[in-house]
Amino acid sequence: MPTDHEEPCGLRHRSFCLNGGMCYVIPTMPSPFCRCIENYTGARCEEVFLPSSSIQVKTDLFAASVALAFFLITLILGILYFLCRKDYLPRANSVAYDIGLVETGHSSGHHSHEEH
């Protein structure tokens, strides 16, 4: 009487699983399957799976994204600062110049007032 429970493979499928995987069969299924050891995946444990390296790649991508965002924000703020500074310098000079004229005019007016 066939069951749906898995059983270890016999000699016929001894080399079915690769990289140390354990072969099992379910009598009602046409082909065996593998239970892979750590760091291997795939139907026959043929693919190397390194979770630590995939996590490291994600961490590196995140760090690079943060660094790029920080650089772009700094660059934009720097550009805005210099654009604003460029606009304010002529205004500051003209205001200082006008104040100088007023003071000069006031001084000379004051001097002429003292002379009289």
Side-chain angles (χ1 to χ4, degrees), residues 35-97:
R35 293 207 186 273
C36 304
I37 62 171
E38 188 176 356
N39 297 332
Y40 288 95
T41 187
R44 297 183 63 199
C45 304
E46 72 276 12
E47 298 176 29
V48 177
F49 176 71
L50 298 173
S52 60
S53 69
S54 66
I55 290 169
Q56 185 64 41
V57 168
K58 289 177 184 176
T59 303
D60 290 347
L61 285 174
F62 178 73
S65 299
V66 168
L68 180 62
F70 179 75
F71 173 75
L72 289 175
I73 289 169
T74 304
L75 182 66
I76 290 168
L77 289 175
I79 290 170
L80 289 173
Y81 172 76
F82 284 112
L83 288 175
C84 290
R85 184 180 164 117
K86 184 178 179 182
D87 287 341
Y88 287 123
L89 280 176
R91 290 181 191 162
N93 286 340
S94 65
V95 169
Y97 181 70

